Amino acid sequence: MASLNVGNLGEYLREQRRSAQLSLRQLADAAGVSNPYLSQIERGLRKPSAEVLQQVAKALRISAETLYVRAGILDEKERDELETRAVILADPSINERQKQVLLQIYESFRKENGFETPTHTHTDADTDTYDNGSDAGPEQAPPLS
């Protein structure tokens, strides 16, 4: 079977697995994939789906986006944007509304600098207003400049 062009994904996975001190069988069990299939991925004989990469990343406790980039599913710039978003959303020191406002500001700056944000999807929290905590109704978001 010829090796597929999946960059150095297999080598990277093997390195991460060994760093985590996991056998191939242990990682396969933790990720919910078969031992032979994971072996083929590591040897560059199979190109895994994004779902399989996500399962493997979770089992290794590493970023799924990093695996997506190495597999050619995601480019580096998209990964950076996704990781920035993930850090903002994971911050326990700010509430959900603050997270959404911060993401809106981040997107506004990216757009102003000529970067499109195709990975962003509209949510109910994505509005042009925010609740200031008073009963007077919502206010307009302050201008960015």
Side-chain angles (χ1 to χ4, degrees):
M1 185 179 272
S3 179
L4 295 173
N5 183 15
V6 289
N8 54 2
L9 174 65
E11 292 172 21
Y12 180 76
L13 282 176
R14 183 178 294 118
E15 183 181 300
Q16 293 301 309
R17 176 177 58 78
R18 288 179 177 163
S19 293
Q21 299 181 337
L22 293 172
S23 69
L24 191 64
R25 186 174 307 280
Q26 288 171 319
L27 179 56
D29 288 344
V33 298
S34 75
N35 189 36
Y37 182 59
L38 185 57
S39 175
Q40 290 173 343
I41 293 169
E42 281 194 0
R43 290 181 288 142
L45 302 176
R46 297 273 184 184
K47 184 173 182 176
S49 68
E51 182 179 328
V52 168
L53 289 174
Q54 185 175 21
Q55 291 168 226
V56 170
K58 186 176 180 182
L60 287 170
R61 296 184 176 155
I62 62 175
S63 163
E65 287 80 9
T66 298
L67 296 184
Y68 297 160
V69 170
R70 291 193 179 257
I73 296 171
L74 187 67
D75 82 4
E76 194 81 28
K77 290 178 184 175
E78 290 173 320
R79 183 195 68 178
D80 291 345
E81 179 189 348
L82 289 172
E83 286 181 348
T84 300
R85 292 173 170 286
V87 168
I88 292 169
L89 293 171
D91 188 337
S93 67
I94 58 178
N95 67 39
E96 291 304 311
R97 184 64 193 141
Q98 291 168 331
K99 291 174 185 180
Q100 291 304 316
V101 170
L102 189 53
L103 287 172
Q104 289 174 347
I105 293 168
Y106 173 67
E107 282 200 29
S108 175
F109 286 150
R110 285 182 52 83
K111 188 174 183 179
E112 183 178 309
N113 293 334
F115 293 94
E116 292 299 316
T117 54
T119 57
H120 180 70
T121 56
H122 184 79
T123 64
D124 290 339
D126 291 342
T127 63
D128 291 333
T129 60
Y130 67 95
D131 185 358
N132 64 4
S134 75
D135 292 332
E139 292 183 32
Q140 290 291 46
L144 297 176
S145 52

